[in-house]
Amino acid sequence: MRVLIAGAAGQVGQELLRLAPERADIVAMDRTSLDIADASQVAAVIARVKPELIFNAAAYTAVDKAESERNLVWAVNCDGVANLATAAQQAGIPLLHISTDYVFDGTGQQPYSETSATGPTGVYGASKLAGEQALVRQCTRHIILRTSWVFGAQGNNFVKTMLRLGGGRDKLGVVADQRGCPTSAASIADTLWSLAKQFETQGTLKWGTYHFSNAPACSWHEFAVAIFDQGLGADLLDRVPAVDAIATRDYPTPACRPAWSVLDCSKLKAAYGITQPDWRNELGKMLAQLKSGQAEARLASAQRVVVKDLDEAFQANSQDTLAKASKF
Ligand SMILES: NC(=O)c1ccc[n+]([C@@H]2O[C@H](COP(=O)([O-])OP(=O)(O)OC[C@H]3O[C@@H](n4cnc5c(N)ncnc54)[C@H](OP(=O)(O)O)[C@@H]3O)[C@@H](O)[C@H]2O)c1
C-alpha cells in the first residue's frame, strides 16, 4: 500500500518513517517538497503520487510564537489541512491527521472525551481546531488523532530541554499545576501504522475523531523529575538539579497553557484495541535511543528517504516502488 507522509521531518513524521512496516511503499515529504499551505502543490503531489492513504504530520507547532504569527499559523494548521482534505476527498483517499489537547480550554477536571466541548485559548489551539473542522467538512474518510505533550528522539521537546538545562544547573523551577499525559512520538506513529494496517486489511476504518496519549497523567514537574532520574540512570547526565515545583503564574508565557490536558482514550481502545503505553517506559526507550546515538543515525537514514523531487524519485525508484507496492 502506498502511503504519503506530509511533515515527514517533524517529531512524529520521523517516527512514522522509522517505524514503517518493512514493505510499506512510502513517499515521505517534508516542507521543502510538500508545503501543505500551497493548495496547487498539494493537489499536484497527490495526483502524481497516487497514495492509498495519507498521514498528515505537518503542522505549525510553536505554541508561543503562534501568538504573533497568526496568518502563518492559520495558513498551515487550518488552510493546509483543508488543502489536504479537499485533494484527498477528490481522489477518494483517506486522510489520517494529528491534532492536539489544545483544542480544549484546560479548565476540565475529568479526562476530555471526543465529545467534550472545545474552547481553545490561544492561536495554535484555535488553528488546530479550525483544521479539524475543515477536515470533517471536506473529507469523508478521515481520522483525527488528538494527542498531547509529544516527545521523541528527533526534534525539540520538553525532554530534550530538561536534559540540556538540567545538566548545567543546580536548581530548576518547573510548573506543577498543569496536568497532562506525555506521549512518545513513537507510540503515535505505532498507532497510525496500526490503523493503516487495519485499513489495508479491511478496506475501511471507523472514521472520526479519537484521543490517544500515553499514561498515567502527571504534571510537568513530575515529568521533569522522571526525566532527570532516568537521564542519570542512562548516563545522559552526570548529576541532577533540584527541581522546584512552581505555579503557572510564576512562569508567564505568551500563550496560555491548559491547566488540565488529560485525554480519555477509551474510544480508541474500544474501536481498535489500542491501549495507552506507560510514558515512563516510552521515555526510557527514547533516552536509550539518544544514548546509543541511534537517533542521529536514524535521522540520517530517514532523511535519505524524504523525497525532495518527485520526478527524480520516481525515475530512480520505479523498480523499487513497484516491488514494494504490495501488501505490508
Ligand atoms: N509537539 C507536541 O507537544 C504536540 C502535542 C499535541 C499535538 N501535537 C500535534 O502532533 C503533530 C505532529 O507534531 P510534532 O511534534 O511532530 O511537530 P514538529 O516536530 O514541529 O513537526 C511538524 C513538521 O511540520 C512541518 N511543517 C510546518 N509547516 C509546514 C507546511 N506548511 N507544509 C508542510 N510541512 C510543514 C515542520 O517543518 P519545519 O520544522 O521546517 O517548519 C515540521 O517538520 C502536529 O499536528 C501537532 O499539532 C503536537
Side-chain angles (χ1 to χ4, degrees):
M1 182 164 72
R2 181 171 293 171
V3 180
L4 173 65
I5 303 174
Q11 290 195 86
V12 175
Q14 290 284 316
E15 292 297 327
L16 280 167
L17 277 172
R18 184 174 71 88
L19 297 170
E22 185 82 357
R23 292 187 304 149
D25 178 21
I26 297 166
V27 180
M29 308 191 82
D30 64 7
R31 186 159 57 95
T32 60
S33 50
L34 174 59
D35 176 355
I36 64 167
D38 181 339
S40 57
Q41 193 182 29
V42 168
V45 164
I46 289 178
R48 179 78 176 85
V49 173
K50 297 187 176 46
E52 291 157 86
L53 200 65
I54 302 171
F55 290 146
N56 180 32
Y60 181 113
T61 57
V63 173
D64 286 323
K65 219 169 145 201
E67 295 298 312
S68 53
E69 289 193 328
R70 193 180 182 287
N71 290 347
L72 176 58
V73 182
W74 221 264
V76 180
N77 291 350
C78 177
D79 302 342
V81 179
N83 294 337
L84 285 169
T86 304
Q89 177 75 7
Q90 276 169 6
I93 305 160
L95 176 55
L96 276 54
H97 169 70
I98 309 162
S99 193
T100 170
D101 54 309
Y102 276 61
V103 298
F104 298 113
D105 68 6
T107 60
Q109 292 178 333
Q110 296 296 321
Y112 288 112
S113 82
E114 290 78 357
T115 53
S116 298
T118 51
T121 57
V123 171
Y124 167 73
S127 69
K128 291 293 292 184
L129 180 61
E132 286 187 6
Q133 290 164 342
L135 177 51
V136 170
R137 266 195 316 272
Q138 291 168 36
C139 182
T140 321
R141 296 196 296 164
H142 69 264
I143 296 279
I144 294 167
L145 196 71
R146 290 185 185 139
T147 190
S148 61
W149 295 24
V150 178
F151 65 92
Q154 318 293 346
N156 296 317
N157 52 61
F158 184 76
V159 177
K160 287 191 167 175
T161 303
M162 287 300 109
L163 291 175
R164 194 177 62 248
L165 294 180
R169 290 201 195 170
D170 294 329
K171 201 169 155 188
L172 205 67
V174 181
V175 171
D177 56 0
Q178 294 171 20
R179 290 191 79 73
C181 293
T183 304
S184 73
S187 66
I188 298 169
D190 270 338
T191 297
L192 290 170
W193 280 120
S194 163
L195 295 174
K197 284 180 197 165
Q198 191 148 333
F199 173 69
E200 180 172 56
T201 320
Q202 301 181 358
T204 189
L205 287 172
K206 295 165 190 142
W207 310 112
T209 300
Y210 294 88
H211 289 174
F212 173 76
S213 72
N214 295 169
C218 65
S219 67
W220 289 110
H221 176 265
E222 290 164 326
F223 190 22
V225 169
I227 293 164
F228 291 131
D229 280 354
Q230 291 200 28
L232 192 65
D235 278 341
L236 286 164
L237 294 169
D238 296 331
R239 59 186 188 132
V240 297
V243 190
D244 284 349
I246 63 169
T248 300
R249 67 174 173 277
D250 297 326
Y251 187 72
T253 51
C256 177
R257 299 290 195 283
W260 177 259
S261 265
V262 183
L263 301 174
D264 174 350
C265 302
S266 56
K267 183 180 170 192
L268 190 71
K269 185 178 179 196
Y272 296 106
I274 294 171
T275 53
Q276 296 177 267
D278 188 317
W279 59 261
R280 293 163 294 201
N281 296 336
E282 294 297 302
L283 175 62
K285 289 189 230 167
M286 175 207 163
L287 296 179
Q289 241 179 291
L290 285 180
K291 171 77 181 160
S292 68
Q294 286 173 10
E296 281 67 29
R298 280 175 178 146
L299 178 62
S301 86
Q303 278 176 339
R304 274 201 294 276
V305 301
V306 172
V307 169
K308 301 287 180 195
D309 182 298
L310 264 185
D311 286 328
E312 235 175 61
F314 271 88
Q315 273 160 24
N317 294 317
S318 57
Q319 290 302 333
D320 192 33
T321 299
L322 288 174
K324 289 194 295 182
S326 54
K327 281 180 180 278
F328 57 72

